[in-house]
Amino acid sequence: MEVLADLVERNRENILVRWRHQVRALPSAKDLSIPTLNDHVPALLDEISLAFRRNSDESIAEVLANGTPPEHGLQRLHNGYLIEEVVAEYNLLRGCIHDLASQHQINLQGKPFHVMNLVFDSAIGLAVQTFSINRALEVQRRREEYLSFVAHDLRTPLNAVALASKVLEATFTSALPDHRAARMIKVLQRNVQSMSALVAKVIEENDNLRTESGVKLERRDVDLWPLIESMVYDLNPVAGTGSTRLLNDVPEELVIYADADLLRRMMQNLIANAIMHTPQGEVVIGAAPTPDGGVECWVSDNGMGISKDRLDLIFEKFETETKEMGGLGLGLAIFKTFVEAHEGTLTVDSEVGRGSRFSFILPGRAQR
């Protein structure tokens, strides 16, 4: 056992070189730097040689208690490994030690075999357990985050339908002799209210909104004017009932490099927020190219405005002054999340009683 310990210690760097060469065949490992690939493996070799020297199960357990396989499992999750690859890299290292012993005519049967396998199997178990638990938590977090995003995005079209039904009720009910029309409008309103309540419940129960990179982008060149024009058309029932005008001031030829779906959500949240705070007035949606090849988009209004003491808080989730209007304070938090996912920047200028201007800049394709 002492001979094996000396052999591993003397050949530590050679083992690591051979092991890295083999591990590079794993898809997730091929592009990692040497320090990242090594991670805790050099320390694991030290643990193995120490276990050989101590030569008892009790001492091995003590060695393992001081090891770092849980941190290794978490690191491999961040490196994008599959769980099979985590197991494979440990087994490749085990094979490298077997080969080294064979080259020096050392028999790895019996106690040495038991000692080495105990170290490796325990390390694999701890690393895989950490990897699996954290991957499951990440999947759950992303599902909850996505559900919150979708639920929140449903609120605007539902509000549009609800307000449109009220307009229909006020316009046609008294003029139509058929009482079935009035009943159908009431049914529509009840179902919209039911759906809105369900959406609100989902949002309240899924409060795991975060701003880290849980958003996968699919960027392409997007014609901005028709995107905004369709949103103005869809949101006009919401704005019109409150005498708020929506104006599309985006140049017709302007193209922005972005994820089209996320861009729509970003603009929808800004416009809906502006409408809510501008019961009577004007909301202008504009955009312009920036000198460095990006595009600046903005939504300005002449509504209520935001007090200076709240400007630093408005992008926090559940921070809102409009709970009595059905707001849950997620719209601007989602907006900020998506801007950061695009590696963009955002600004807000506002004055109480005079209105607000929310803007963001997304980098162009050449800067990627």
Side-chain angles (χ1 to χ4, degrees), residues 88-284:
E89 64 172 351
Y90 279 109
N91 285 330
L92 289 172
L93 184 62
R94 188 185 338 229
C96 288
I97 296 175
H98 269 285
D99 293 343
L100 180 65
S102 297
Q103 291 168 9
H104 288 80
Q105 289 79 49
I106 296 176
N107 189 354
L108 262 179
Q109 299 302 312
K111 186 66 173 181
F113 183 79
H114 170 73
V115 168
M116 187 177 71
N117 282 345
L118 181 59
V119 174
F120 271 108
D121 293 346
S122 298
I124 290 173
L126 290 171
V128 166
Q129 181 184 45
T130 303
F131 182 98
S132 300
I133 290 173
N134 282 274
R135 185 167 68 174
L137 290 173
E138 175 67 11
V139 170
Q140 180 183 5
R141 183 194 67 79
R142 292 198 179 195
R143 284 177 178 171
E144 291 174 345
E145 179 180 90
Y146 181 72
L147 189 58
S148 286
F149 287 162
V150 172
H152 188 276
D153 289 339
L154 283 172
R155 293 176 67 87
T156 298
L158 281 174
N159 287 338
V161 173
L163 290 170
S165 71
K166 291 180 180 179
V167 173
L168 287 174
E169 182 180 35
T171 304
F172 297 114
T173 300
S174 59
L176 291 176
D178 191 344
H179 67 279
R180 291 177 299 177
R183 188 167 64 246
M184 290 175 65
I185 289 176
K186 291 295 184 183
V187 170
L188 173 63
Q189 291 174 341
R190 284 198 301 271
N191 280 277
V192 170
Q193 289 173 357
S194 177
M195 291 179 65
S196 296
L198 288 173
V199 167
K201 187 66 174 176
V202 169
I203 293 174
E204 289 174 351
E205 292 183 354
N206 290 273
D207 61 352
N208 289 329
L209 179 64
R210 298 178 185 175
T211 57
E212 58 209 52
S213 58
V215 181
K216 181 180 179 181
L217 298 183
E218 295 181 4
R219 300 190 193 191
R220 60 180 176 85
D221 288 332
V222 179
D223 291 322
L224 193 55
W225 185 88
L227 175 69
I228 300 303
E229 189 67 13
S230 67
M231 296 180 68
V232 168
Y233 179 83
D234 291 341
L235 290 169
N236 255 323
V238 180
T241 55
S243 301
T244 301
R245 296 177 59 217
L246 297 183
L247 299 179
N248 180 2
D249 200 27
V250 174
E252 293 187 12
E253 73 282 357
L254 189 59
V255 173
I256 187 170
Y257 185 56
D259 183 299
D261 181 55
L262 298 192
L263 179 62
R264 171 177 281 275
R265 295 186 188 188
M266 290 156 63
M267 297 304 300
Q268 178 175 291
N269 284 331
L270 285 187
I271 297 171
N273 185 70
I275 292 172
M276 186 174 294
H277 290 84
T278 312
Q280 290 186 331
E282 188 173 87
V283 174
V284 180

